[in-house]
């Protein structure tokens, strides 16, 4: 009897985590560059049960398999391109990433499955920033601005990195912040005259765009930042010249959350949670009878 109660409880925990993932998607529906997360539920390993006939060393007869319930193991992000929204703000940037891998045709969700069932995810391009501790992080939120020091920063004050790996400076010859510029589709900055904008070292200024070979290895850190686990750093490199990545100035990438489907999924998770709850209540009443009524007889 208790086995069914534990199975229903595992279902409630799984649906609660699924519900949390969906509500997080809905809460970030207006967050630029946010990628929808999907909670994956998997069953615990099944057990083979048998009957034992006789004493020690007797033969057994298999009865079948017994399931031990379900659990929500992980949350996978859907890295499909979000819609571009024009803002006409020169400090807003969006990435259009269509990186291809020879011999692979990725579907709309950015996934390729070969004949053996092996999955390969489409590489994605990201902006490169520094967090508060000066550690390299990645983001798709391209709403930037220039601080008083002439550094390009995001809404949380994180410094945006240039191609030289240093914080990107937008200052003129007098050391004053520049507010009039253009950015090419390759992320190169041009001054008001259409000439390459030069940094303090005399080199052209450009955005550092990172390429994540497997975007599912990136972990959410909060505030729109993503990080890579130690040991997986080699999977993130700078975007190469031949990669199909474009920078759009005056645009932001909207989140790819499907609001209508998210509401349907949230109601489905809630109903499944309530169904498991009723199963537990039924088991509770049965055990109460067994303890208080059957025990008297």
């Amino acid at each position: 009897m208790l086995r069914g109660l534990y199975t229903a409880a595992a279902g409630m925990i799984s649906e609660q985590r699924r519900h949390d993932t969906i509500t997080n998607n809905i809460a970030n529906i207006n967050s630029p560059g946010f990628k929808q997360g999907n909670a994956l539920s998997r069953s615990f390993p099944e057990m083979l049960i048998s009957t034992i006939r006789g004493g020690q060393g007797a033969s057994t007869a298999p009865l079948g398999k017994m399931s031990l319930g379900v659990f929500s193991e992980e949350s996978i992000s859907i890295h499909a391109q979000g819609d571009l929204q024009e803002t006409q703000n020169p400090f807003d940037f969006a990435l259009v990433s269509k990186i291809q891998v020879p011999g692979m045709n990725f579907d709309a969700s950015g996934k390729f499955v070969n004949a053996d069932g092996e999955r390969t995810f489409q590489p994605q391009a990201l902006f490169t920033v520094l967090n508060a501790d000066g550690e390299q992080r990645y983001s798709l939120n391209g709403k930037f601005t220039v601080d008083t020091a002439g550094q390009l920063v995001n809404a949380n004050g994180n410094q945006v990195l240039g191609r030289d790996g240093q914080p990107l400076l937008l200052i003129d010859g007098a050391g004053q912040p520049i507010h009039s510029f253009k950015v090419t589709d390759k992320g190169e900055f041009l001054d008001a005259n259409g000439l390459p904008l030069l940094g303090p070292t005399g080199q052209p200024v450009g955005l550092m765009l990172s390429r994540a070979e497997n975007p599912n290895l990136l972990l959410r850190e909060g505030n729109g930042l993503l990080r890579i686990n130690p040991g997986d750093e080699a999977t993130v490199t700078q975007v190469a010249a031949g990669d199909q990545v474009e920078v759009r100035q005056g645009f932001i990438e909207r989140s790819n959350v499907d609001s209508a489907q998210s509401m349907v999924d949230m109601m489905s998770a809630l109903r499944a949670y309530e169904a498991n709850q009723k199963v537990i209540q039924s088991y509770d009443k049965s055990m109460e009878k067994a303890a208080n009524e059957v025990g008297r007889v």
Side-chain angles (χ1 to χ4, degrees):
M1 181 180 294
L2 290 178
R3 187 183 303 128
L5 188 149
Y6 293 144
T7 300
M12 288 181 65
I13 295 173
S14 177
E15 293 302 328
Q16 180 182 359
R17 292 177 178 173
R18 181 185 170 203
H19 187 274
D20 292 343
T21 301
I22 297 170
T23 53
N24 182 61
N25 291 337
I26 296 175
N28 287 280
I29 198 168
N30 291 321
S31 299
F34 180 82
K35 300 300 181 182
Q36 175 177 317
N38 284 351
L40 299 183
S41 297
R42 302 184 181 182
S43 63
F44 286 102
E46 294 183 336
M47 298 180 63
L48 181 65
I49 56 176
S50 306
T51 59
I52 301 178
R53 299 175 180 175
Q56 187 176 6
S59 61
T60 60
L63 293 178
K65 295 181 178 180
M66 179 180 67
S67 175
L68 299 178
V70 68
F71 70 110
S72 183
E73 183 181 34
E74 57 185 338
S75 177
I76 297 295
S77 298
I78 304 299
H79 291 274
Q81 179 78 44
D83 297 332
L84 299 188
Q85 178 181 354
E86 186 173 7
T87 64
Q88 297 184 351
N89 185 343
F91 292 98
D92 288 346
F93 303 96
L95 291 178
V96 179
S97 179
K98 299 179 181 179
I99 301 175
Q100 300 298 320
V101 177
M104 297 184 183
N105 294 319
F106 297 101
D107 59 19
S109 65
K111 179 179 61 180
F112 170 76
V113 182
N114 63 12
D116 297 327
E118 297 176 347
R119 295 180 299 174
T120 303
F121 295 95
Q122 187 174 19
Q124 295 293 323
L126 307 105
F127 298 109
T128 313
V129 301
L130 295 178
N131 65 3
D133 298 324
E135 299 171 330
Q136 190 166 300
R137 294 294 184 263
Y138 312 97
S139 176
L140 283 168
N141 187 345
K143 290 192 71 66
F144 301 145
T145 186
V146 174
D147 62 12
T148 55
Q151 295 179 332
L152 192 66
V153 297
N154 64 9
N156 298 310
N158 301 118
Q159 298 170 330
V160 181
L161 295 184
R163 292 179 178 175
D164 57 357
Q166 300 299 318
L168 201 152
L169 286 174
L170 294 177
I171 55 177
D172 57 19
Q176 298 299 317
I178 295 176
H179 297 283
S180 179
F181 58 87
K182 292 184 178 180
V183 177
T184 68
D185 58 356
K186 299 300 181 183
E188 301 164 346
F189 283 75
L190 306 177
D191 61 19
N193 299 319
L195 299 175
L197 189 64
L198 302 181
T201 61
Q203 298 296 321
V205 175
L207 291 167
M208 177 189 281
L209 304 180
S210 296
R211 166 176 168 160
E213 292 297 329
N214 184 356
N216 287 315
L217 294 178
L218 296 170
L219 303 176
R220 301 181 193 270
E221 195 175 73
N223 295 323
L225 299 184
L226 303 169
R227 65 178 176 87
I228 193 75
N229 272 332
D232 294 329
E233 293 94 341
T235 63
V236 180
T237 58
Q238 286 197 40
V239 169
D243 291 334
Q244 298 183 30
V245 177
E246 294 183 8
V247 178
R248 301 284 180 86
Q249 185 182 16
F251 291 83
I252 58 171
E253 180 185 357
R254 300 177 61 185
S255 70
N256 64 357
V257 177
D258 187 336
S259 57
Q261 186 62 45
S262 294
M263 293 301 297
V264 172
D265 292 341
M266 186 168 64
M267 294 302 299
S268 175
L270 178 61
R271 289 170 180 168
Y273 182 92
E274 292 175 343
N276 283 288
Q277 187 180 41
K278 292 184 182 298
V279 171
I280 291 180
Q281 291 173 347
S282 176
Y283 272 107
D284 182 61
K285 291 180 181 178
S286 298
M287 288 188 292
E288 182 183 4
K289 278 191 174 183
N292 299 329
E293 298 181 17
V294 178
R296 295 198 194 104
V297 178

